[in-house]
Amino acid sequence: MKPFLVSLYLLGTFLHALAQCTSEFHLEGDYLLGGLFDIHHDSSPVYHNRPEAIDCSSKPFIHSSYRRFQVMRFSVEEINNSTSLLPNVSLGYEIFDHCSDTHNFPGFFNLISVNGLIQPWGEPHKNLSKVIAVVGTYTSPKALTVAPLFMMNLIPMVGYGAATSVLSRKQNFPSFLRTVHPSQNVMAMVVKILKHFDWRWVSFLYIDDDYGKDGQELFIKRIKDTEICLAFTKGLNQYTDHSQIFKQIEAQRIGVIIVFTPEWTAEALIESAIQQNITNKVWIAVDGWSLNNEIPKKKGIKNIGTVIGVAEPRMTIPGFSDFIHSSRSQAHCENTEQNMVCNQDCNCSSLSAEDVITADPSFNFPVYTAVYAIAHALHNVLQCGAGRCNNNITVNPHMVLAEVKKSNFTLLNQRIQFDENGDPNYGSYSIVFWNQSGDAEDIGFYDFYPPFHFLINDSKIQWHTEGEVPTSVCSQECPHGSVREYDGLHRCCFNCKICSNGTYVNSTEDPYKCIACKDTEWSAAGSTSCSLRVVEYIPFTDSGAILIMIGAWAFVGLTLAMSVLFAINYNTPVVRSAGGPMCFLILGCLSLCSFTVFFHFGKPTTSFCILRFLPFLLFYTVCLACFVVRSFQIVCIFKIAVRFHKISSWWMKYHVQWLVITVAFVTQAVLLIIGYTYAPPKPYHEFSSPDKIILGCDINLKASSGSVALLLFLCSLCFIFSYMGKDLPKNYNEAKAITFCLLLLILTWIIFATVYILYHGKYIPTLKALAVLSSLYSFLLFYFLPKCYIIIFQSYKNTQAYFQGLIQSYTMTVR
């Protein structure tokens, strides 16, 4: 009898539990929410010739997705128990296991049906669907598949994991919003990490679907104007040959691998890397698998290198753990006749509460936020307040959509808002590192919105390179002062070339170009900047300049003294034979020429340049013209007068000598005026020395050619006439003196011209001033000084009788 009673008790307990069993996928309520969660994943889809529904419960189970599924259930229960949010209003849900991109028709058809019927051409306000909003889906391809069906009647669809940028296009998806950050934000963060560690040679592996291709396009756009090069990229699917991918990566010496995939694709890739002994790589995980709990625990995972990831911040949802413990202790109807709707079976009765709580927490807060955003929107539509809601209002999905877009509430200390594209207008992402214990450790963060804080604590990372940050470059950085020359298709692959003298490279602006320095700057070979050239000219304080100027003043003093001496002895034969009044003209012009010496020093200006050349050319012409006339007169006295007496008398009668001098002076003046009007001398910068600027005066040779030609002509005539008098009386040496002076003059300027051609430096003006002074001193010392000597020390030669005797004796010799 006792065993019978025990059996009867157990049967009663079972029947009571069966009567109390509930479905985790369904909850009755005043307003119904739809939920799409891929609790299972169809990793190997089979394509049929005709549409077929899929039984998700037979596919691989995803722990993290089941956790997100429980977060939605918890959120609805928490809202239903709230006295401030939707008071006296209960929310229900209809959740489906959305395991396939294209074969989950019954689930979402059930959500948009009205009394079991779908009327696509019916009027929206008369054919209300059973749900006011939908939470989901997790992946972008699934969202892109089902979203258009919800867009027809503007049913709010709040995604918690679909990140593709395509869903931001409101013209195509007007009622889609999301609480997960779009892929462009994730790509911005990945690029920030690459720049932080100066990784320039990377590979990008992505899942071969809409989500992955969108991520690839966004990444390429992000690195377009950076130093980062995409060395290799490949889409991954269930048929991918991972060994070929790794061979390519190894062949190109790529050290950083970005894996933009969900967790199931990343798991297959990492397992293949472990099997093929791929080592010493940096793996950058995106938010789809960076917080996965299973992959970091795999055997051999430490050998693949260092894993850094970007992830949703892990936020503790208060009360969730207690809800899971309570939920797992309740009976749920699974695989019973009560579950008549396809894909609402879990097959997860073997899961413990700890299994759920410790699963990957990725995208849990986005699910939590999505449910609360819908609840707050419904709260506003029903005009809830003071502990009650207006239940007389007929709620349309588009009314809820309008309020969801205007969301502005605080949840777990986070202000929840959406931008004009329905993307979250708040939040940040964490940067994680898979440590030696197999845990994802937070090492930094990035704020997606102003002020855009970015931080990585490098000291927390245990690199596989024994403490040093690994490098990933195609070519090593060029030495300072060298530019890059492309070597192949990628800008990251290059050879190095040293910039030559006068150029430099600015690596921050353009590392591929040697930039020429300005005229006022210089640089040595291999420079990264230009230096100002040293400006050089001969100042008045230069020792050589001082000596030359003293010599010029001495010259002026000597000419003045000789002029006084000649004036005192004006009527003596020596002064008369030297030229008489012409002596004073010569000495005066020589003195005026000497003043040009002073303008060879100091910083050149236009006036200095003109005065450096013009007085010398003009007044030296007068001097040479005087000596031409004087040498002609000497020859005339001793030779022509004897044979051609009329010519000699005509010359003396009409003072032809002064006419010649005047013509020479006027001609030179005209030539100088024409030449200086056309191209006057002006300051110029001499760049013959790489590190110096030598200031000088530039003279146009074409414009000055007439003046110089006149000087050469006069010099030639003078030399011819003076040379004709080489056989004059021995004691009468004026012609010889003029000849000697001319030889010194010619020699002086030949020496200067030679030096000018061979030497380019700041002392050219000094040498020219010295040449000018030498030209002046040659006539003063070797023509006038001997006559002064005779006047002072050999007065017996300074008599009329002495000179007459010389002339008579020479005349008798000629006859």
Side-chain angles (χ1 to χ4, degrees):
M1 185 68 180
K2 189 174 181 180
F4 174 76
L5 292 175
V6 173
S7 299
L8 187 63
Y9 172 76
L10 293 175
L11 178 62
T13 301
F14 172 75
L15 292 174
H16 176 74
L18 186 63
Q20 297 296 318
C21 78
T22 60
S23 171
E24 289 188 305
F25 290 87
H26 178 75
L27 178 68
E28 294 291 338
D30 298 329
Y31 297 95
L32 202 62
L33 304 183
L36 298 172
F37 293 84
D38 49 352
I39 299 172
H40 298 83
H41 173 62
D42 186 13
S43 58
S44 300
V46 178
Y47 296 96
H48 304 279
N49 294 328
R50 61 180 182 177
E52 289 189 16
I54 190 172
D55 180 10
C56 288
S57 61
S58 63
K59 302 300 178 180
F61 181 76
I62 308 296
H63 289 76
S64 58
S65 291
Y66 182 70
R67 193 181 199 273
R68 290 188 282 270
F69 161 76
Q70 292 294 348
V71 170
M72 179 173 177
R73 294 184 63 243
F74 165 73
S75 304
V76 172
E77 181 174 303
E78 189 176 55
I79 293 168
N80 287 340
N81 292 332
S82 172
T83 57
S84 59
L85 182 62
L86 293 175
N88 298 322
V89 174
S90 64
L91 290 179
Y93 52 75
E94 195 76 48
I95 304 176
F96 291 90
D97 184 1
H98 193 220
C99 65
S100 171
D101 292 349
T102 56
H103 296 158
N104 278 144
F105 307 115
F108 49 79
F109 283 159
N110 184 283
L111 292 177
I112 63 174
S113 64
V114 181
N115 298 322
L117 298 175
I118 297 177
Q119 296 177 304
W121 294 283
E123 297 183 28
H125 66 280
K126 291 184 179 179
N127 300 286
L128 302 179
S129 67
K130 63 167 62 176
V131 296
I132 61 168
V134 177
V135 176
T137 63
Y138 173 55
T139 68
S140 296
K142 292 171 185 176
L144 292 171
T145 301
V146 304
L149 297 172
F150 296 107
M151 302 299 110
M152 291 189 302
N153 292 336
L154 295 180
I155 300 173
M157 184 177 180
V158 185
Y160 58 85
T164 179
S165 60
V166 176
L167 292 168
S168 296
R169 301 172 185 168
K170 291 301 101 178
Q171 64 270 30
N172 298 329
F173 304 97
S175 64
F176 183 87
L177 300 94
R178 54 183 158 200
T179 53
V180 64
H181 289 282
S183 295
Q184 52 258 42
N185 288 357
V186 176
M187 285 300 100
M189 192 170 183
V190 169
V191 172
K192 280 275 188 183
I193 294 173
L194 295 177
K195 288 182 177 179
H196 178 79
F197 293 110
D198 199 24
W199 292 326
R200 305 178 184 180
W201 191 238
V202 301
S203 61
F204 189 91
L205 306 181
Y206 60 95
I207 185 169
D208 193 11
D209 60 16
D210 296 310
Y211 165 71
K213 292 174 182 176
D214 179 62
Q216 182 203 32
E217 291 176 2
L218 292 170
F219 181 73
I220 292 173
K221 288 180 181 178
R222 280 280 175 181
I223 65 173
K224 184 177 179 181
D225 296 322
T226 68
E227 293 289 322
I228 302 167
C229 291
L230 181 57
F232 177 77
T233 182
K234 181 70 176 178
L236 307 178
N237 54 42
Q238 66 269 27
Y239 306 111
T240 300
D241 184 356
H242 295 129
S243 63
Q244 291 299 318
I245 292 176
F246 291 127
K247 285 180 181 178
Q248 288 276 358
I249 290 174
E250 291 291 344
Q252 298 189 55
R253 296 178 288 110
I254 303 169
V256 176
I257 305 172
I258 303 164
V259 183
F260 191 78
T261 67
E263 54 191 313
W264 49 85
T265 307
E267 184 175 8
L269 178 70
I270 298 300
E271 285 179 348
S272 178
I274 295 172
Q275 293 171 4
Q276 297 183 48
N277 195 29
I278 302 301
T279 60
N280 301 326
K281 303 296 181 186
V282 174
W283 303 77
I284 298 182
V286 294
D287 49 354
W289 63 284
S290 58
L291 297 182
N292 186 281
N293 292 332
E294 298 177 4
I295 301 178
K297 302 294 193 298
K298 290 185 179 293
K299 184 179 179 181
I301 188 68
K302 295 179 182 179
N303 297 329
I304 67 171
T306 304
V307 180
I308 296 175
V310 298
E312 284 270 351
R314 285 171 284 198
M315 302 183 69
T316 301
I317 301 176
F320 177 67
S321 296
D322 295 336
F323 169 78
I324 294 299
H325 282 289
S326 173
S327 176
R328 299 314 295 169
S329 64
Q330 296 178 4
H332 298 288
C333 301
E334 297 183 7
N335 302 321
T336 68
E337 292 183 1
Q338 295 189 35
N339 277 339
M340 299 303 294
V341 181
C342 182
N343 293 329
Q344 287 190 323
D345 290 335
C346 181
N347 286 339
C348 50
S349 57
S350 61
L351 281 179
S352 66
E354 289 302 320
D355 291 335
V356 178
I357 293 170
T358 58
D360 180 358
S362 297
F363 306 102
N364 284 198
F365 184 67
V367 174
Y368 190 60
T369 305
V371 176
Y372 264 88
I374 296 169
H376 277 277
L378 182 61
H379 183 92
N380 294 333
V381 171
L382 294 175
Q383 301 173 0
C384 298
R388 59 183 297 277
C389 296
N390 187 352
N391 293 321
N392 295 324
I393 297 176
T394 300
V395 178
N396 288 294
H398 71 85
M399 299 165 64
V400 177
L401 172 64
E403 293 299 328
V404 173
K405 289 181 178 180
K406 296 186 288 185
S407 294
N408 189 0
F409 61 95
T410 301
L411 186 65
L412 300 185
N413 298 320
Q414 183 71 65
R415 198 70 185 170
I416 308 302
Q417 293 176 311
F418 298 97
D419 63 18
E420 64 276 7
N421 297 319
D423 297 328
N425 200 15
Y426 58 87
S428 62
Y429 260 21
S430 298
I431 303 172
V432 299
F433 158 68
W434 286 8
N435 60 27
Q436 296 298 315
S437 303
D439 299 321
E441 178 183 353
D442 285 357
I443 60 170
F445 66 91
Y446 176 51
D447 289 331
F448 291 126
Y449 304 97
F452 300 105
H453 291 305
F454 177 78
L455 175 68
I456 295 182
N457 187 349
D458 299 2
S459 62
K460 289 187 175 182
I461 305 175
Q462 300 170 359
W463 300 106
H464 61 271
T465 49
E466 299 180 357
E468 294 185 2
V469 178
T471 60
S472 184
V473 294
C474 179
S475 300
Q476 293 298 324
E477 193 62 46
C478 288
H480 288 296
S482 297
V483 289
R484 303 173 183 176
E485 289 186 333
Y486 288 112
D487 181 22
L489 298 176
H490 295 283
R491 62 180 178 277
C492 295
C493 302
F494 49 82
N495 298 317
C496 296
K497 177 185 176 183
I498 297 177
C499 286
S500 59
N501 293 336
T503 63
Y504 71 100
V505 58
N506 187 336
S507 298
T508 56
E509 289 186 3
D510 189 356
Y512 298 91
K513 181 181 179 183
C514 288
I515 305 170
C517 295
K518 298 178 182 178
D519 289 342
T520 56
E521 299 175 333
W522 77 283
S523 67
S527 296
T528 57
S529 63
C530 292
S531 303
L532 285 174
R533 293 179 186 242
V534 177
V535 178
E536 290 190 341
Y537 58 90
I538 305 299
F540 288 105
T541 55
D542 181 77
S543 57
I546 292 172
L547 289 174
I548 291 174
M549 287 188 292
I550 291 172
W553 282 116
F555 181 85
V556 173
L558 287 173
T559 56
L560 182 61
M562 289 181 182
S563 298
V564 172
L565 182 63
F566 280 15
I568 295 172
N569 297 276
Y570 181 75
N571 293 316
T572 62
V574 171
V575 176
R576 302 293 290 180
S577 67
M582 199 177 293
C583 291
F584 299 104
L585 178 60
I586 295 173
L587 290 171
C589 288
L590 290 175
S591 296
L592 291 173
C593 288
S594 67
F595 285 109
T596 62
V597 170
F598 298 96
F599 296 102
H600 284 74
F601 309 111
K603 189 173 183 179
T605 61
T606 302
S607 58
F608 265 48
C609 289
I610 291 174
L611 293 174
R612 184 179 293 187
F613 295 101
L614 188 144
F616 179 77
L617 291 173
L618 183 62
F619 296 113
Y620 208 74
T621 299
V622 176
C623 293
L624 286 178
C626 291
F627 281 112
V628 168
V629 170
R630 187 69 195 127
S631 59
F632 177 78
Q633 286 177 331
I634 293 170
V635 174
C636 180
I637 291 171
F638 287 96
K639 292 188 177 183
I640 299 177
V642 177
R643 298 178 182 178
F644 306 100
H645 180 71
K646 289 184 179 182
I647 296 177
S648 177
S649 61
W650 177 80
W651 177 276
M652 299 300 295
K653 179 180 179 181
Y654 294 102
H655 303 287
V656 178
Q657 67 271 28
W658 298 111
L659 180 61
V660 172
I661 293 170
T662 303
V663 170
F665 173 76
V666 172
T667 304
Q668 185 67 289
V670 170
L671 291 173
L672 288 172
I673 291 171
I674 294 173
Y676 280 27
T677 302
Y678 170 70
K682 57 186 178 181
Y684 83 106
H685 296 168
E686 172 66 51
F687 299 107
S688 56
S689 178
D691 59 340
K692 298 175 183 178
I693 298 176
I694 300 172
L695 302 184
C697 288
D698 181 31
I699 184 168
N700 190 302
L701 294 178
K702 289 184 179 180
S704 303
S705 59
S707 301
V708 175
L710 180 59
L711 278 176
L712 292 174
F713 175 71
L714 293 174
C715 187
S716 300
L717 278 180
C718 187
F719 185 81
I720 291 170
F721 290 137
S722 62
Y723 185 76
M724 289 172 63
K726 69 181 187 302
D727 57 346
L728 292 179
K730 183 177 181 181
N731 294 329
Y732 196 84
N733 56 5
E734 285 193 30
K736 295 177 182 178
I738 294 173
T739 304
F740 184 73
C741 292
L742 289 173
L743 288 174
L744 285 179
L745 175 66
I746 294 169
L747 182 62
T748 296
W749 288 103
I750 288 175
I751 293 173
F752 172 76
T754 305
V755 174
Y756 185 82
I757 293 171
L758 299 177
Y759 169 72
H760 296 279
K762 71 174 183 176
Y763 291 104
I764 289 293
T766 303
L767 296 174
K768 185 173 179 294
L770 191 61
V772 169
L773 205 59
S774 175
S775 301
L776 301 178
Y777 266 107
S778 63
F779 284 107
L780 188 71
L781 297 179
F782 298 103
Y783 183 79
F784 288 104
L785 188 61
K787 292 171 175 48
C788 295
Y789 180 81
I790 292 172
I791 293 172
I792 298 172
F793 300 105
Q794 294 180 339
S795 56
Y796 67 92
K797 291 182 180 181
N798 191 15
T799 62
Q800 189 71 25
Y802 182 80
F803 272 80
Q804 286 291 338
L806 290 176
I807 295 172
Q808 289 176 2
S809 61
Y810 178 78
T811 304
M812 291 175 64
T813 304
V814 172
R815 290 177 181 176

